[in-house]
Amino acid sequence: MKIIVTERIAEDGINYLKENGHEVDTRYGISHEELLETIEDYDAIIVRSVTKVNEELLQRASKLKVAGRAGNGIDNIEVPACTKRGIIVVNTPESNIMAAAELAVGHAYAIFRNIPQAHWAGKAQNDFRRSRFNGNELDEKTAGIIGLGRIGSIVATKLKGSNMKVIAYDPYITDEKFKKLGVERCDTLEELLKQSDLISLHTPKTSETYGMIGEEQLKLCKKDVRIVNAARGGLVNEEALYNAIKEGHVAAAALDVLDPEPNYDKKPEDQDYQNKLFELDNVIITPHLGASTAEANYNVGTAVSKLVSDALKGEMVAAVNMPPMKNKDLNEMKPYLDLAEILGKIYYQAEKETVNKIEIVYSGELAEQETKILSLSVLKGFLDIVIKEKVNYVNAEFIAKNMGISIVESKTSQLEKYTNLITVKFFTKSKVLSVSGTVFAIQEIRVVDFFGYKLDFEPTPYVLAIQNVDVPGIIGQIGTILGASDINIAAMQWSRNHKGEKAVAFVSVDCEVPANVLELLKKINGVLKVTLLKF
């Protein structure tokens, strides 16, 4: 197979590809125009962050089977366009986590001991008055970790090694994972902010986390708190941070990421980036160095080479998108894959309590088939709601287990009402909730059990799940509010277990339901809960 590498990776990675029988062209720095002229000759392409694997390129990449990204993000690869063409997309999200974690810890030490400021004073100003740079020790202080995933867990372990008390806020990580790490769980972000001497952020940037540390949150923090953000720019509101530091409430901050970020490739004489935080001596800013170590560069280069080589051999790899399947198999499995993913998506859209175990039960005809890919599809749907990095059929189980969630798969051939049934049970500390679904005929997907309520509902892109007291008049009020808001109802189904107690409804609508309309529905007398499910 012929592979083009357009950006520099570890030489050992290049050698690995050659040793495995591949022809490798290293065209570091090749222009997009040149690549367009030559891409049709290649079976695989390996890039880092500059080369654009976009629709224009893919239209000419008639032989391309694999696109490999040496690193974590895939912003420069149009994944849907690759998937449409059956091109496997792989990246290396695990290869630089130690580098990112160590940078965050280094930043923590730097802002507690004023290391960069003291260095600069001596080197640039010939000022060695050490009394100016009196700092504080990390020993016996409290570190608050926001996001206890792969990087956050490493940071927590290293800070515990500095004899810090470590607390963390992450609603998606189980108690077992917290206990294993020896970290105290905070049930709310506010609880963490009030206790921490050091706050270190390790969460992805989403609509929920963007600006999660703003003016109100900073006011809750202890005086002289120190803040480290080596995750994503925008998690901390920079205007609010600037003001809190100027006012003396925040002692110092260290940022490896900014919002927006400067152009890291511009020469100093061409740089036009401005940020008020640069005015403050007790703010340390580094140019997104999280993954910039020799070890991380080596790891991402060798890891991506192995993934690309294995994928070209037809082996199952940790792909960002689903690996290619034969059309016949894909067509047969697709409705069941879709059903499994839908069932997985339901829980965290409707509930908040942390899941520590998922049991997937296959009944009827499905019990006689290989169901591993279906279980991965359940996990993919479940994780897609809470994990903003790309979840795929290969990494879904790894991510779930890394969160402390145990996965159980069981089968039974006994089934009375349906020919096939998938039941997903979500176990929390206090309860077990389950959802079930089936496929009728060829591709008719139905949800037939929702947290103990029997129904027969076709999941659509937008569904209102409503729980209410079983009394007359509620259906009419819901319809009136939706109609007045110009939201069309496509289908509606109510279910109850006992007259006069509680009932649930699935209401399929044609569009997104705004937050203000959801609030109106919640205010209806007798309505207990309203959730918009997106499939």
Side-chain angles (χ1 to χ4, degrees):
M1 298 286 188
K2 197 171 181 180
I3 302 170
I4 183 170
V5 184
T6 65
E7 298 173 67
R8 192 173 298 277
I9 64 171
E11 197 61 32
D12 283 5
I14 301 297
N15 293 335
Y16 178 89
L17 293 170
K18 292 178 179 178
E19 289 167 3
N20 279 268
H22 303 294
E23 181 182 345
V24 183
D25 287 343
T26 52
R27 301 286 301 276
Y28 303 147
I30 186 173
S31 70
H32 186 68
E33 290 69 27
E34 290 178 287
L35 187 57
L36 287 174
E37 295 300 320
T38 60
I39 190 63
E40 64 182 1
D41 296 330
Y42 296 98
D43 300 283
I45 182 172
I46 295 177
V47 304
R48 297 204 73 164
S49 59
V50 176
T51 304
K52 304 296 183 185
V53 182
N54 55 20
E55 180 67 31
E56 182 184 22
L57 183 71
L58 293 171
Q59 286 179 358
R60 302 196 186 190
S62 57
K63 294 173 61 178
L64 200 65
K65 302 173 181 65
V66 185
R69 161 73 160 96
N72 185 15
I74 48 171
D75 296 343
N76 54 321
I77 299 178
E78 293 187 10
V79 177
C82 289
T83 303
K84 183 173 66 175
R85 292 170 170 82
I87 297 169
I88 302 171
V89 180
V90 296
N91 66 344
T92 56
E94 297 293 318
S95 298
N96 55 21
I97 58 174
M98 186 59 69
E102 288 187 352
L103 182 75
V105 175
H107 272 182
Y109 272 96
I111 56 177
F112 267 77
R113 296 304 304 272
N114 302 312
I115 296 171
Q117 295 91 334
H119 165 77
W120 180 251
K123 183 173 183 178
Q125 302 168 351
N126 205 35
D127 185 351
F128 298 98
R129 293 172 293 172
R130 61 186 181 185
S131 61
R132 293 181 56 206
F133 306 108
N134 194 37
N136 295 95
E137 299 173 7
L138 280 73
D139 187 68
E140 295 188 345
K141 301 293 192 304
T142 297
I145 308 296
I146 301 175
L148 201 61
R150 296 167 302 182
I151 297 173
S153 295
I154 297 172
V155 172
T157 300
K158 291 184 179 295
L159 293 178
K160 280 178 63 66
S162 300
N163 200 34
M164 296 192 80
K165 174 185 177 182
V166 180
I167 61 178
Y169 169 69
D170 193 325
Y172 306 117
I173 300 298
T174 63
D175 288 343
E176 287 71 23
K177 181 68 178 290
F178 273 83
K179 290 177 183 177
K180 182 178 179 181
L181 292 170
V183 174
E184 181 182 315
R185 176 190 282 277
C186 292
D187 292 326
T188 65
L189 177 61
E190 291 74 18
E191 183 183 344
L192 178 142
L193 298 176
K194 292 176 181 179
Q195 299 181 60
S196 301
D197 300 296
L198 166 69
I199 296 171
S200 189
L201 293 98
H202 303 283
T203 186
K205 181 162 68 176
T206 67
S207 58
E208 293 179 351
T209 62
Y210 183 80
M212 67 187 304
I213 305 295
E215 180 180 356
E216 294 303 315
Q217 288 73 30
L218 289 171
K219 287 179 180 178
L220 294 174
C221 293
K222 296 169 69 173
K223 188 177 185 306
D224 293 330
V225 68
R226 291 168 169 86
I227 297 174
V228 172
N229 183 13
R232 291 289 184 266
L235 300 182
V236 180
N237 182 290
E238 292 176 5
E239 180 73 23
L241 179 62
Y242 175 88
N243 293 333
I245 293 174
K246 289 285 285 185
E247 293 164 3
H249 188 68
V250 174
L255 308 176
D256 189 48
V257 288
L258 297 164
D259 180 37
E261 298 208 321
N263 185 326
Y264 295 116
D265 297 320
K266 278 189 176 182
K267 296 179 180 179
E269 59 268 24
D270 299 327
Q271 188 60 259
D272 55 358
Y273 184 79
Q274 295 182 343
N275 191 311
K276 288 202 305 183
L277 290 170
F278 283 103
E279 302 171 7
L280 305 177
D281 291 337
N282 48 350
V283 174
I284 299 168
I285 294 176
T286 50
H288 208 148
L289 297 178
S292 297
T293 66
E295 293 85 354
N297 287 331
Y298 173 84
N299 291 339
V300 298
T302 53
V304 76
S305 296
K306 187 176 189 309
L307 284 169
V308 169
S309 180
D310 288 349
L312 287 174
K313 293 175 186 175
E315 298 178 12
M316 182 70 79
V317 296
V320 173
N321 53 356
M322 184 179 174
M325 297 176 64
K326 294 179 181 179
N327 288 336
K328 180 176 180 294
D329 295 338
L330 181 59
N331 290 336
E332 290 179 356
M333 291 296 292
K334 191 175 187 313
Y336 297 100
L337 289 169
D338 292 343
L339 170 62
E341 185 168 345
I342 285 168
L343 294 176
K345 282 181 180 290
I346 288 175
Y347 181 83
Y348 270 130
Q349 294 191 83
E351 295 287 325
K352 296 300 181 185
E353 188 174 354
T354 302
V355 171
N356 53 50
K357 175 182 172 183
I358 296 176
E359 181 180 359
I360 308 164
V361 183
Y362 298 98
S363 305
E365 293 178 352
L366 287 176
E368 302 173 4
Q369 300 182 24
E370 173 55 52
T371 52
K372 179 66 175 180
I373 190 67
L374 296 178
S375 295
L376 293 175
S377 192
V378 170
L379 296 180
K380 179 178 180 297
F382 174 79
L383 294 168
D384 270 341
I385 303 302
V386 295
I387 302 292
K388 299 310 174 184
E389 64 188 62
K390 184 66 180 179
V391 181
N392 56 65
Y393 290 92
V394 180
N395 68 6
E397 186 171 19
F398 171 81
I399 293 174
K401 289 183 176 179
N402 196 46
M403 293 170 66
I405 301 170
S406 61
I407 313 300
V408 177
E409 182 179 304
S410 57
K411 298 181 179 182
T412 175
S413 58
Q414 296 181 351
L415 191 62
E416 296 180 1
K417 189 173 181 180
Y418 309 104
T419 57
N420 61 79
L421 189 72
I422 301 176
T423 298
V424 183
K425 299 178 181 180
F426 303 97
F427 292 76
T428 71
K429 285 195 299 185
S430 64
K431 58 191 174 186
V432 180
L433 295 174
S434 68
V435 291
S436 299
T438 188
V439 177
F440 292 133
I442 301 175
Q443 293 188 350
E444 295 184 18
I445 296 173
R446 295 290 189 274
V447 175
V448 297
D449 187 291
F450 179 78
F451 295 169
Y453 292 88
K454 303 302 179 185
L455 38 75
D456 181 355
F457 197 85
E458 179 182 5
T460 56
Y462 301 103
V463 175
L464 285 168
I466 301 172
Q467 185 183 68
N468 62 277
V469 179
D470 183 29
V471 295
I474 289 181
I475 295 177
Q477 293 181 69
I478 290 172
T480 298
I481 290 174
L482 293 177
S485 304
D486 200 28
I487 296 172
N488 193 45
I489 297 175
M492 179 183 294
Q493 186 174 115
W494 243 260
S495 175
R496 68 183 183 188
N497 291 330
H498 301 286
K499 182 179 178 180
E501 294 184 356
K502 292 179 182 178
V504 298
F506 267 18
V507 183
S508 177
V509 293
D510 288 347
C511 61
E512 178 95 47
V513 179
N516 65 310
V517 177
L518 293 176
E519 289 302 315
L520 289 174
L521 294 172
K522 292 175 183 178
K523 290 178 180 178
I524 295 174
N525 187 29
V527 168
L528 304 174
K529 189 174 183 180
V530 180
T531 305
L532 178 63
L533 306 178
K534 299 178 184 180
F535 300 118

